Amino acid sequence: MDRILIRGGNPLNGTIHISGAKNAALPLLATCLLSEQPLVLSNLPHLADISTMAHLLSELGVDISMDGGAGNGGNIGRVFRLDAGPVNSTTAPYDLVRKMRASVLVLGPLLARFGKARVSLPGGCAIGTRPVDLHIKALQQMGAEIELDEGYIEASAPDGLKGAHIVFPMVTVGGTENLLMAATLADGETVLANAAREPEVTDLANCLVAMGAEIDGIGTDTLRIQGMKTLHGAEYSVVPDRIETGTYAVAAAVCGGELTLLDTRLELIDSVAEVLRNAGVEIVEVDGGIRVRRSDDGLKGIDVMTEPYPGFPTDMQAQLMVLMAVAEGASMITETIFENRYMHVPELSRMGANVNVHGASAIVRGRSSLHGAEVMATDLRASVSLVLAGLAADGETTINRVYHLDRGYERLGEKLSACGADIKRLKD
Ligand code: EPZ
C-alpha cells in the first residue's frame, strides 16, 4: 500500500486552488436519479469517493460520460453528464455501500422516482456507529413502507411518497439531504424542521431548484418543499470545499509562510475563520479566495466545540488539534457530533503532542515540539491531521493507509509541494 513521506519544517508559500466539495458532490451525484433528463455537474473533485458513487450510479443503470477539467492551474474539476433515463435497478449492493456510507443517499431519490429501493445498511465506521434511523423514520412519515431484511433497507411506496411535516430530533446532514431529494417528487408539501444548514445541503437545494424543484427556506433550518410530478435536467457547479480550505489554512498557520487559497469563499468557513483568528491566524479576503498566515504574535490555545453548521465543523476538529498542539497555552476541544472521533490522538502523541482525552473533550497542552514518526490513521480527517503534524514537525514522518486521503483530498501532495512542502508519495 502507498505511503506518504514528509520531511517537516518547511514554511509554505504560494497559491493553492481549492477543489469542489466532496460532501456536496456526493448528494449532487445522487440527485441525477430524480430525473429522466441528464444532469451535468461541473467542478467535481477527482477523488476515490466520487468514483465509488459514480460506480454505484452506473450499476443502477445511469449513463455517465466524463470530461476532464483544464485551465485554472489545471484544476477546474471534472464534469460528469449523468443520464438517469435508462435506470433499470433500484438496488444499492453491500459491496459498494460498505466502501462508502454516503451511498445511502440514493435511497430517497430511488424511492421517490421509482416507488421502491433496496439499499444495503451502511453499518458503523471508524468515527462512530452512525446509524441511518432518522433517514428511515422520516421516509416512513412520508408514507414509505420500510423493512430491514438481511442487512438491507427494503423500502417501497407504490403510490408515491406523500408530503409530511418532519421534525428531525437531531441535526443530520445526510438525513436532511435524503429527505430533501425525496420530497421534491412527493405528493404535496413537505416541511423539514431542524434541518441541517451545512453549505453542502444548500448546494443540493440550489441544484434541485435548477432542476425545477420548489424549495423555500434554503440556508435555514426549516425547508419547505412543494412536491412536483417530475424534475428536469440542469447544469450545476459544485460549491468549493470548505474543509479543504480550512485544512490548508491550518497548514499555513502551523508551518509559517503565507498561502493564498483560490476558488473558495471566506463566507463558507466563517466559524473556522473566527476560531483561527482567535488562535492567532491572519485571514484576509482576496479576489477569488483568501490569504492566510500566522500572526507575528504567534499561535495561542483556545477552547472550541464542534457543532452543526454554522458552528465549528467536526470535519476540522483533528486539523485544529494540530494547531493547538503547537500553540502557546492550553486548550480544550469538545467533539459533540461523533462519539469516537479522536483516533488521531494516539498518533499525534507519538509525534510529541501533549493531548489527554476525557470523554468527549480533549485537553491539549501546547508548545509541543513535534517530531517525525511512522503513523497511520483510520479516517480521512485524522489522516490529514497527521500530514499537517508531519509538515510542522522536525524530521521525517511516514503516513500509512494513504487511501483515506485519496477519498477526500484531491492532489494533496502536489498542492502542498508546489508551495514548498517536502512531501512524497512512496509507491509499494
Ligand atoms: C456528513 O455525514 C458528512 N459526510 C461527514 O463528513 C460529516 O462529519 C458529518 O456530515 C457531520 O457534519 C458527508 O457529507 C458524505 P450526520 P453524515 O447524519 O451525513 C447521528 C468527512 O470526513 N445520526 O449529520 O453521515 C450520527 O451518528 C465526513 O468528510 C443518527 O443518530 O452525518 C452523528 O452522530 C465524515 N441517526 C450525527 O447524527 C441518523 O439517522 C450527525 O450525523 C443519522 C445521523
Side-chain angles (χ1 to χ4, degrees), residues 264-425:
T264 188
R265 301 199 298 269
L266 181 59
E267 113 250 354
L268 292 172
I269 59 155
D270 267 350
S271 61
V272 172
E274 190 189 337
V275 162
L276 294 182
R277 282 175 176 143
N278 289 338
V281 183
E282 285 176 9
I283 302 181
V284 292
E285 204 162 5
V286 296
D287 198 16
I290 58 172
R291 197 164 51 228
V292 190
R293 65 186 285 274
R294 177 160 79 207
S295 81
D296 295 336
D297 297 337
L299 301 172
K300 50 183 183 294
I302 53 164
D303 295 347
V304 177
M305 188 182 277
T306 65
E307 281 169 321
Y309 191 84
F312 187 87
T314 173
D315 290 346
M316 279 297 299
Q317 180 256 107
Q319 300 89 313
L320 184 77
M321 188 176 284
V322 177
L323 190 146
M324 294 294 122
V326 298
E328 178 84 51
S331 52
M332 183 161 84
I333 297 178
T334 305
E335 171 60 56
T336 71
I337 309 290
F338 291 109
E339 72 268 28
N340 184 27
R341 210 171 192 183
Y342 284 129
M343 290 87 50
H344 42 287
V345 170
E347 300 298 291
L348 290 176
S349 302
R350 294 182 53 244
M351 297 179 72
N354 186 343
V355 185
N356 280 300
V357 176
H358 300 277
S361 294
I363 313 287
V364 187
R365 293 190 175 80
R367 276 284 172 202
S368 320
S369 65
L370 298 178
H371 47 78
E374 181 158 356
V375 289
M376 67 171 187
T378 43
D379 84 289
L380 170 60
R381 310 301 170 188
S383 298
V384 88
S385 78
L386 300 178
V387 172
L388 295 174
L391 293 171
D394 290 332
E396 246 179 49
T397 297
T398 307
I399 300 169
N400 295 299
R401 297 198 183 170
V402 171
Y403 58 86
H404 288 299
L405 293 165
D406 295 339
R407 293 185 60 175
Y409 287 90
E410 184 174 37
R411 298 186 292 111
L412 174 85
E414 212 180 294
K415 290 185 183 189
L416 286 168
S417 51
C419 296
D422 186 345
I423 175 167
K424 269 198 218 63
R425 189 168 178 132

Side-chain angles (χ1 to χ4, degrees), residues 17 36 38 66 112 163 180 197-198 204 217 224 266 292 388 402:
H17 290 272
E36 275 185 4
M66 296 181 205
L180 179 58
R197 285 182 279 168
E198 269 65 4
L204 172 64
R224 198 174 285 274
L266 181 59
V292 190
L388 295 174
V402 171

Side-chain angles (χ1 to χ4, degrees), residues 22-23 26-27 101-102 105 127 129-135 170-175 177 198 242 314-315 337-339 341 379-381:
K22 164 184 82 91
N23 288 348
L26 293 170
R101 294 180 48 81
L105 291 170
I127 61 177
T129 49
R130 298 182 78 186
V132 288
D133 56 320
L134 302 177
H135 305 223
M170 66 195 285
V171 177
T172 160
V173 174
E177 291 167 343
E198 269 65 4
R242 65 195 167 102
T314 173
D315 290 346
I337 309 290
F338 291 109
E339 72 268 28
R341 210 171 192 183
D379 84 289
L380 170 60
R381 310 301 170 188

Side-chain angles (χ1 to χ4, degrees), residues 99-115:
K99 273 199 193 161
M100 187 184 67
R101 294 180 48 81
S103 310
V104 79
L105 291 170
V106 300
L107 175 63
L110 284 176
L111 189 56
R113 180 161 149 222
F114 300 99

Side-chain angles (χ1 to χ4, degrees), residues 12-34:
L12 299 179
N13 284 295
T15 298
I16 292 180
H17 290 272
I18 299 301
S19 302
K22 164 184 82 91
N23 288 348
L26 293 170
L28 287 173
L29 286 165
T31 301
C32 78
L33 293 167
L34 289 165

